[in-house]
Amino acid sequence: MFILPSVEIRWFGRGSPAPAMRAWFEAGERSPEAEPARDDRYLAHPDESLGIKLRQGKLEIKRRESLLEPLILPGVAGVVERWRKWSFALAEDDLPSEAWIAVHKRRLVRKYKCPDGRALAIAAAERPAQGCNVELTELTVHGDSWWTLGFEAFGAESLLRDCLEATARAVFVGAAPRFDVRDSYGYPAWLARLGGG
């Protein structure tokens, strides 16, 4: 088992990412890296502050500890959440399948490290002590297509918000799309909006 604190911000939209959004995400000093497609399974329940997921032989439990001040940048507004995750090795065959929602994911990932209050783009395979993952993910659930853009800052808890903000300022440059606070929430809230909880 391991425990991981994070500060996160995320937006969801219906359909596939627009070509302009994909082009914006792929631009910059370091191109994003595509991860292998995967299927995660989420436990259906109504609590938007709790996420329970089966992922590649692990059970992950995430609890939202608090809502922080929103992120506000030119053309961008979003809800910032503080989460804590517990991860356990698990044989998925031990759990009943009818209670879980399957979500197919295809992710493009960028990674940043955060030394001295700055956000510097690095390779996705690097493991800095303080950093932030940024993902543009295509989702398929119940046969419907969605996308999500997410930021997940990790490392020392006292620096998480600063790292997330520095990364957001580095990412939302140039001809960045607009992101509205009405579309900003975590996976548990998204799944509840789908009627899964």
Side-chain angles (χ1 to χ4, degrees):
M1 179 186 78
F2 72 85
I3 303 172
L4 179 68
S6 64
V7 166
E8 305 180 19
I9 188 168
R10 182 173 295 280
W11 294 268
F12 286 90
R14 287 185 176 274
S16 298
M21 180 184 295
R22 182 179 290 275
W24 161 76
F25 192 77
E26 292 179 350
E29 56 189 298
R30 182 181 287 271
S31 297
E33 299 178 34
E35 292 185 343
R38 71 173 197 248
D39 292 302
D40 292 346
R41 291 192 291 157
Y42 291 83
L43 185 65
H45 65 84
D47 187 347
E48 296 185 4
S49 66
L50 183 68
I52 302 174
K53 176 174 69 175
L54 294 173
R55 174 187 174 187
Q56 299 170 326
K58 294 183 292 185
L59 175 66
E60 297 182 352
I61 300 171
K62 286 182 75 169
R63 182 172 61 88
R64 186 179 67 204
E65 298 190 323
S66 61
L67 295 172
L68 305 180
E69 287 295 317
L71 176 75
I72 306 292
L73 296 174
V76 174
V79 176
V80 180
E81 302 174 307
R82 182 179 298 277
W83 293 87
R84 191 168 304 272
K85 178 170 70 177
W86 293 263
S87 182
F88 309 85
L90 181 72
E92 293 187 18
D93 294 340
D94 294 342
L95 297 170
S97 60
E98 63 273 8
W100 301 83
I101 301 168
V103 180
H104 182 73
K105 299 180 179 181
R106 291 188 301 158
R107 300 195 337 155
L108 292 175
V109 178
R110 303 174 77 167
K111 183 177 279 189
Y112 292 79
K113 62 181 179 181
C114 297
D116 306 319
R118 298 170 296 145
L120 303 176
I122 58 175
E126 291 189 42
R127 300 196 176 279
Q130 197 78 41
C132 188
N133 293 315
V134 185
E135 57 161 285
L136 178 61
T137 304
E138 295 182 58
L139 308 166
T140 305
V141 59
H142 301 318
D144 293 328
S145 296
W146 291 76
W147 58 264
T148 181
L149 176 73
F151 292 68
E152 180 179 0
F154 57 88
E157 290 194 61
S158 62
L159 301 175
L160 291 176
R161 173 66 189 240
D162 290 344
C163 182
L164 183 139
E165 286 203 24
T167 303
R169 292 181 187 284
V171 170
F172 291 118
V173 294
R178 298 182 66 86
F179 291 91
D180 194 283
V181 70
R182 292 173 297 182
D183 303 316
S184 180
Y185 35 82
Y187 268 100
W190 173 65
L191 291 166
R193 284 161 171 77
L194 293 178

